[in-house]
Amino acid sequence: MQKCRIKQVAVPKRVFGIWCSFVLAITGCADRQIFDETGLVTVVGYDLQKSGDIRATIVLPSINPEAKQKIQLISATGETSKGMRDKANLQSDKKLLGGQIRVALYNEHFAKKGIGSIVDTLYRDSSLSSRVYLCVVEGDTYDMLTYPYTEQGNIGIYLYRMIDQNVRGEKIPSTTMHEFFRSYYGFGVDPIMPLIERKGNELKIKGVALFQGDRYIGWITPKEAFLIKLVHGKFKIGSYDTSVPANIFGEKGKAGNTQKNQVKLVFDTIASESDMTLLAASPPVFDVRVRLQARILELTIPIKLEDSKMMKTMEDALEKEIEKELQKVVKKLQELDVDPAGFGIVYRAQQRGLKEMTNRDWRKIFRQASFRFHVQATIIRNGVMD
């Protein structure tokens, strides 16, 4: 068998030298970012001042091992995002870069006036990820970010992890910059953001802020947000607590509940899906069907759910309770004049000749809409009984 031979081509030294010089020249022209000379911003907060100016507060990690504080805080006031960035740079010994921003915060006062322009500035910044989380803050973001927390360390990373793990756990809907603008520029669904509050040394997600366009209108609890997500689309995880009448369990349930007429029930969803149908157009009547597979995590009375009749009783009670709560939360949305569940998308999709309909037109119709909820719950296995 003839062996294959690889022919080696000798490269002249002169050609090799020219190639190396070319590579070095290209490398030298690059905008090098030396880590010790840059400040990587992790969170930025915006507060609207009485003068009409905007105060930006940024947080960046301190890489100086001799520094007592783990973070560096810089605050600047201006009329534009670029102006505030320039003023912030004048206060820093490092060039400030926004490529590592994970969270952008807006105080309530600012959010109520409209934050579309300032969010759009961030969205157009090519160095920023579109997965930056946007949040509304009760009070001023400056007070939240400059508070001397004892445990959180880098407040920017802490806020990001707090929001991210609740989004992944489906406790709250995801609200990245990309998702905000998709709703903002789209039709038939309104944007939302987490609503964060500080009480002393503690930070928590109080609820979900509702927007009409780019203006903050009101908020709902995480429990109400769960219900909106239930009708808005599919998801596989997320816990929910509710109450069902104690008398459905008979005398044993009453005795075990010690004079209380309600039984607390905690479940998590293993799978869910929903269908929305427009039954009538004027006024709108929506038929919403939710299919839910759930696992009971906790009950406040001891019940043997191995009994098929008792299981069916529990499923029926759960269905009625969720249907009742869905009616309540939709009525609240109508009173606030916002539609984060996307009923407007279904309305226009199932009606002809409505391509020119605006969100303002839909809001007028949404106030008159009625809803028929049908929940089909299946309890497939049990968790913890108390």
Side-chain angles (χ1 to χ4, degrees):
M1 182 181 291
Q2 187 177 2
K3 295 183 179 179
C4 295
R5 295 181 179 179
I6 300 174
K7 186 177 180 180
Q8 295 182 348
V9 180
V11 180
K13 294 182 178 179
R14 185 178 178 183
V15 176
F16 182 74
I18 294 173
W19 180 79
C20 289
S21 299
F22 177 75
V23 172
L24 290 172
I26 294 296
T27 306
C29 292
D31 184 16
R32 295 179 297 169
Q33 302 292 349
I34 301 174
F35 182 73
D36 290 345
E37 296 178 2
T38 57
L40 302 177
V41 181
T42 56
V43 63
V44 58
Y46 296 99
D47 297 311
L48 184 63
Q49 306 293 285
K50 292 182 179 179
S51 63
D53 289 343
I54 302 170
R55 178 174 61 185
T57 306
I58 63 175
V59 178
L60 54 153
S62 176
I63 61 174
N64 184 356
E66 298 179 359
K68 294 181 179 180
Q69 300 294 330
K70 296 181 180 180
I71 59 172
Q72 183 180 357
L73 291 154
I74 298 176
S75 181
T77 303
E79 296 181 356
T80 64
S81 179
K82 180 66 167 60
M84 289 181 286
R85 184 183 300 178
D86 290 341
K87 289 182 179 180
N89 264 300
L90 293 173
Q91 303 176 48
S92 176
D93 61 336
K94 299 178 179 64
K95 182 180 179 180
L96 301 178
L97 298 176
Q100 293 299 313
I101 291 179
R102 294 290 181 262
V103 182
L105 308 171
Y106 307 89
N107 77 330
E108 280 183 306
H109 179 55
F110 192 5
K112 288 177 180 178
K113 295 292 184 179
I115 57 175
S117 60
I118 196 75
V119 177
D120 185 67
T121 302
L122 289 178
Y123 194 59
R124 294 177 186 276
D125 189 338
S126 59
S127 69
L128 291 181
S129 167
S130 62
R131 295 190 59 79
V132 172
Y133 285 120
L134 308 181
C135 306
V136 176
V137 171
E138 283 195 341
D140 282 352
T141 66
Y142 176 84
D143 296 334
M144 171 177 285
L145 295 176
T146 58
Y147 185 85
Y149 300 99
T150 57
E151 299 294 336
Q152 277 81 343
N154 188 329
I155 185 64
I157 300 300
Y158 179 84
L159 281 169
Y160 170 75
R161 289 175 177 171
M162 180 179 73
I163 297 165
D164 190 58
Q165 70 93 2
N166 279 286
V167 168
R168 286 186 287 105
E170 305 216 44
K171 299 292 190 300
I172 58 172
S174 180
T175 54
T176 62
M177 187 160 53
H178 171 73
E179 288 161 329
F180 177 86
F181 272 108
R182 185 174 60 186
S183 299
Y184 178 64
Y185 286 118
F187 171 85
V189 61
D190 287 310
I192 56 176
M193 291 185 190
L195 177 63
I196 300 177
E197 69 171 349
R198 178 184 67 85
K199 288 187 176 180
N201 198 46
E202 300 293 328
L203 290 171
K204 78 169 186 177
I205 300 173
K206 181 178 180 179
V208 174
L210 306 174
F211 281 76
Q212 192 181 90
D214 69 338
R215 295 185 302 112
Y216 169 53
I217 298 299
W219 66 281
I220 55 176
T221 65
K223 187 175 179 179
E224 291 170 323
F226 175 92
L227 294 169
I228 292 175
K229 192 171 177 64
L230 201 62
V231 301
H232 188 59
K234 298 180 180 180
F235 63 103
K236 295 184 178 180
I237 53 177
S239 60
Y240 181 82
D241 66 273
T242 186
S243 300
V244 295
N247 57 14
I248 67 171
F249 299 109
E251 296 299 325
K252 185 176 181 180
K254 290 182 181 179
N257 210 31
T258 61
Q259 299 181 350
K260 292 183 179 180
N261 57 8
Q262 294 288 314
V263 176
K264 294 293 292 184
L265 167 67
V266 181
F267 70 90
D268 67 348
T269 57
I270 296 173
S272 74
E273 58 182 359
S274 64
D275 296 311
M276 282 190 267
T277 305
L278 183 66
L279 299 179
S282 183
V285 178
F286 288 92
D287 184 84
V288 183
R289 298 184 179 274
V290 178
R291 291 172 293 280
L292 173 70
Q293 290 184 332
R295 174 180 58 186
I296 301 299
L297 295 179
E298 187 173 353
L299 283 168
T300 53
I301 61 173
I303 299 174
K304 290 184 178 181
L305 293 179
E306 291 80 4
D307 185 341
S308 60
K309 291 184 178 179
M310 187 62 73
M311 184 71 76
K312 184 65 170 63
T313 299
M314 176 66 71
E315 290 172 344
D316 292 343
L318 185 59
E319 291 169 354
K320 291 179 181 178
E321 187 63 27
I322 293 177
E323 290 170 359
K324 183 176 71 173
E325 293 301 317
L326 282 170
Q327 290 288 356
K328 287 181 181 179
V329 73
V330 167
K331 184 178 180 181
K332 185 175 182 178
L333 296 178
Q334 289 177 300
E335 291 172 351
L336 291 171
D337 211 12
V338 292
D339 178 17
F343 291 106
I345 298 174
V346 177
Y347 183 84
R348 190 168 72 167
Q350 298 185 16
Q351 285 283 97
R352 292 183 178 180
L354 298 180
K355 291 184 178 179
E356 302 302 321
M357 174 179 277
T358 65
N359 281 315
R360 181 176 294 182
D361 296 332
W362 165 240
R363 294 187 208 288
K364 295 177 183 178
I365 299 172
F366 180 58
R367 299 184 198 121
Q368 309 302 321
S370 59
F371 302 87
R372 300 175 183 176
F373 291 105
H374 309 278
V375 178
Q376 180 183 344
T378 304
I379 301 174
I380 62 175
R381 58 178 181 262
N382 308 329
V384 178
M385 302 299 165
D386 185 10

